[in-house]
Amino acid sequence: MLQAKRKADAKAASPFKPDGKLSRKAYEKALFDLHVELVKVQMWAKETGARVCIVFEGRDGAGKGGTIKAITERVSPRVFRVVALPAPTEREKSQMYVQRYMQHFPAAGEIVIFDRSWYNRAGVERVMGFANDEQVHYFLNMAPAVEKAMVDAGIILLKYWLEVSMDEQTRRLEARIDDGRKLWKLSPMDLKSYSRWYDYSRARDEMFKATDSSWAPWYVVHSDDKKRARLNVIRHLLHHIPYKAPKREKIELPKRQKAGDYVEPDYPWKVIPDTVGQPPRAG
């Protein structure tokens, strides 16, 4: 009886579920601690004028969006800016390729996160035929030099590739079909690209070979366990950003002013009714 209780207690205390994935409770506890550190990074960036650029690439369904959300959900969007550019306009197509991305590079006190980046040219544009071989090879030769210029200018540049297995990608994309909250994540382009797994693998391999430099290396994240992947990415980027927690003065709320001659108005406020538990839309 005692032995069974000990096993049950050990199971309850384990941070892992039966399938080996991180439990929700363990994940939220770890994420809370990392969010505290990200707030310190935010304060440090504002105080020092640091510039940080974080690039997220990977296969469709690899978890880029969820990882970015985990990073940004407790910090200011004015410091942590997320850049997710749509398809280029006709005007942008006529520009120097990297031009539309450079305008989003961080200024002092900013941390810019690219949800897909200039590496579109080496990935989706190449595989789906939006860029020819000459354009791709020019990009692969040019990208390391541009990133060297970024780093030499003082920008902290981190590049992450999220890698998901075939089976897990299939499971996630199929889940989007039946989940009304995720339909927007399943575009016609996603469906076309799904069938081209090995074309993307070849494009990834050549991209790594050409752009995995000493000044801007690629960091690969295995993301079949999304919770574990998010925590690992945040810990990694915290390790690679040389932040220090700024000193904080003790904060106390001031006393509220007295009402004086203020009287609540007799105004017909348009109050939103409490509809919790009712259907999302009437009719």
Side-chain angles (χ1 to χ4, degrees), residues 235-264:
R235 289 194 188 100
H236 187 274
L237 68 87
L238 288 172
H239 181 73
H240 284 78
I241 297 175
Y243 71 99
K244 293 182 179 179
K247 293 181 180 179
R248 291 181 56 195
E249 297 181 1
K250 185 178 179 180
I251 300 174
E252 292 184 1
L253 292 177
K255 292 182 179 180
R256 292 190 192 272
Q257 64 181 161
K258 294 181 179 180
D261 60 355
Y262 177 77
V263 178
E264 288 284 351

Side-chain angles (χ1 to χ4, degrees), residues 67-271:
T67 302
I68 292 170
K69 183 178 179 181
I71 294 170
T72 59
E73 63 183 341
R74 295 292 180 176
V75 291
S76 170
R78 289 180 290 277
V79 177
F80 280 77
R81 290 198 295 109
V82 178
V83 177
L85 298 184
T89 64
E90 290 302 315
R91 180 176 183 275
E92 288 171 331
K93 289 178 183 178
S94 72
Q95 296 174 342
M96 177 182 175
Y97 174 71
V98 77
Q99 187 173 340
R100 70 191 295 248
Y101 297 98
M102 292 181 72
Q103 62 183 311
H104 297 284
F105 285 1
E110 291 183 343
I111 299 164
V112 173
I113 300 174
F114 280 92
D115 184 353
R116 294 203 181 278
S117 66
W118 45 97
Y119 282 101
N120 275 339
R121 174 131 297 179
V124 63
E125 290 189 13
R126 180 179 201 175
V127 173
M128 303 309 295
F130 299 133
N132 59 40
D133 288 343
E134 182 181 357
Q135 290 172 315
V136 172
H137 291 145
Y138 177 78
F139 168 79
L140 292 175
N141 288 327
M142 173 270 297
V146 172
E147 293 170 359
K148 182 69 162 58
M150 294 172 66
V151 173
D152 287 348
I155 295 175
I156 297 171
L157 176 59
L158 296 169
K159 302 188 304 190
Y160 294 103
W161 175 273
L162 272 61
E163 185 67 27
V164 66
S165 67
M166 276 188 176
D167 290 344
E168 182 62 15
Q169 185 193 49
T170 298
R171 188 193 69 77
R172 292 179 186 178
L173 294 182
E174 286 179 341
R176 293 178 183 181
I177 296 173
D178 300 320
D179 190 335
R181 301 167 300 173
K182 298 178 180 179
L183 284 175
W184 64 274
K185 291 185 174 184
L186 196 62
S187 68
M189 189 63 63
D190 295 330
L191 296 175
K192 289 181 182 178
S193 66
Y194 172 76
S195 64
R196 302 187 181 184
W197 177 275
Y198 291 107
D199 287 342
Y200 272 98
S201 294
R202 294 184 188 95
R204 176 204 60 197
D205 296 346
E206 189 168 348
M207 181 188 77
F208 276 15
K209 185 177 180 180
T211 64
D212 186 23
S213 61
S214 60
W215 54 88
W218 279 104
Y219 297 107
V220 177
V221 185
H222 293 287
S223 63
D224 277 16
D225 185 336
K226 291 190 287 188
K227 298 186 187 74
R228 190 188 299 273
R230 293 167 190 169
L231 298 178
N232 286 336
V233 167
I234 298 174
R235 289 194 188 100
H236 187 274
L237 68 87
L238 288 172
H239 181 73
H240 284 78
I241 297 175
Y243 71 99
K244 293 182 179 179
K247 293 181 180 179
R248 291 181 56 195
E249 297 181 1
K250 185 178 179 180
I251 300 174
E252 292 184 1
L253 292 177
K255 292 182 179 180
R256 292 190 192 272
Q257 64 181 161
K258 294 181 179 180
D261 60 355
Y262 177 77
V263 178
E264 288 284 351
D266 183 15
Y267 186 82
W269 304 106
K270 297 176 181 65
V271 178

